[in-house]
């Protein structure tokens, strides 16, 4: 399994990420996800600006946690061409028939959406299995904060996209095969 994640230009603060009965304290959700999943490879997508601001901190924290990763520079997404370039860069990293998990917690601007679209393209077009689509809800309820940040697995929501395609197919052609599946 490969873990795909994003790193932005935010100031990251330590929290106790929790998922499926496990917890891990880190400023970076991707380290918690790596701890929970133990992927073969972690790919971190980041802009030049994010690299300059946060890559050294992530590398230090990942090394201390016993993990390695590959950083992949992407454009900032300032126009449609760059958005397509980001999509192409993400999808080019994953061979057909792979298993992946996405961590979209630290994706800025349109990156979580591009991650979702890339995930659906890879799932439906390349036969890639999406095991998890994680979102770490940092400080989700500060009024009652326990210092914990739950990680939500949004991958079941990806099925909504498949359902919408199946419903469209049924409405347009009367074919309910995809809905039955």
């Amino acid at each position: 399994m490969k873990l795909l994640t994003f790193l932005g230009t935010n100031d990251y603060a330590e929290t106790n990420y929790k998922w499926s009965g496990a917890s891990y304290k880190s400023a970076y959700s991707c380290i918690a996800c790596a701890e929970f999943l133990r992927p073969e490879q972690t790919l971190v997508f980041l802009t030049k600006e994010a690299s300059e601001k946060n890559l050294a901190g992530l590398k230090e924290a990942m090394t201390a946690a016993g993990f390695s990763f590959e950083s992949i520079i992407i454009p900032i997404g300032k126009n449609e061409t760059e958005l397509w370039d980001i999509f192409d860069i993400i999808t080019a990293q994953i061979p057909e028939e792979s298993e992946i998990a996405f961590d979209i917690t630290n994706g800025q601007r349109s990156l979580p959406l591009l991650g979702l679209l890339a995930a659906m393209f890879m799932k439906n077009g390349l036969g890639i299995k999406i095991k998890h689509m994680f979102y770490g809800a940092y400080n989700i309820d500060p009024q009652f904060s326990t210092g914990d940040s739950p990680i939500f697995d949004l991958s079941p929501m990806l099925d909504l996209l498949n359902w919408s395609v199946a419903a469209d197919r049924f409405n347009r052609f009367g074919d309910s095969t995809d809905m039955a599946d």
Side-chain angles (χ1 to χ4, degrees):
M1 178 191 308
K2 294 178 186 285
L3 173 63
L4 285 66
T5 189
F6 301 97
L7 185 68
T9 57
N10 288 343
D11 295 325
Y12 296 106
E14 194 168 78
T15 188
N16 189 37
Y17 286 107
K18 298 188 108 175
W19 177 68
S20 194
S23 64
Y24 192 82
K25 196 170 208 161
S26 177
Y28 304 97
S29 61
C30 62
I31 299 175
C33 292
E35 175 66 27
F36 301 149
L37 299 177
R38 299 291 176 165
E40 292 175 37
Q41 183 180 30
T42 299
L43 303 174
V44 178
F45 298 94
L46 68 167
T47 64
K48 181 178 176 255
E49 295 80 8
S51 176
E52 290 168 357
K53 182 171 182 186
N54 287 320
L55 185 58
L58 176 64
K59 185 174 184 173
E60 181 180 323
M62 286 283 270
T63 301
F67 296 110
S68 62
F69 66 95
E70 180 181 341
S71 60
I72 300 163
I73 299 294
I74 56 174
I76 199 162
K78 66 181 179 234
N79 56 48
E80 192 174 329
T81 300
E82 285 192 1
L83 294 174
W84 279 111
D85 289 345
I86 294 168
F87 179 87
D88 290 341
I89 290 167
I90 292 170
T91 57
Q93 302 303 313
I94 309 302
E96 290 186 23
E97 308 295 323
S98 296
E99 285 187 350
I100 63 170
F102 262 96
D103 170 27
I104 61 169
T105 304
N106 297 318
Q108 295 183 345
R109 294 174 302 280
S110 60
L111 289 180
L113 177 60
L114 285 173
L116 169 70
L117 293 172
M120 288 308 296
F121 172 76
M122 290 187 289
K123 177 182 177 189
N124 294 328
L126 303 176
I128 290 170
K129 287 186 178 177
I130 301 170
K131 300 296 281 183
H132 304 283
M133 178 71 76
F134 286 137
Y135 174 71
Y138 177 77
N139 203 19
I140 193 155
D141 192 353
Q143 181 179 358
F144 304 104
S145 180
T146 60
D148 293 338
S149 296
I151 290 182
F152 302 124
D153 187 351
L154 304 177
S155 57
M157 292 182 164
L158 295 175
D159 292 335
L160 291 174
L161 293 173
N162 288 335
W163 272 98
S164 68
V165 170
D168 177 65
R169 186 177 181 112
F170 177 73
N171 288 332
R172 292 186 329 142
F173 305 113
D175 183 352
S176 64
T177 306
D178 290 341
M179 291 184 84
D181 287 343

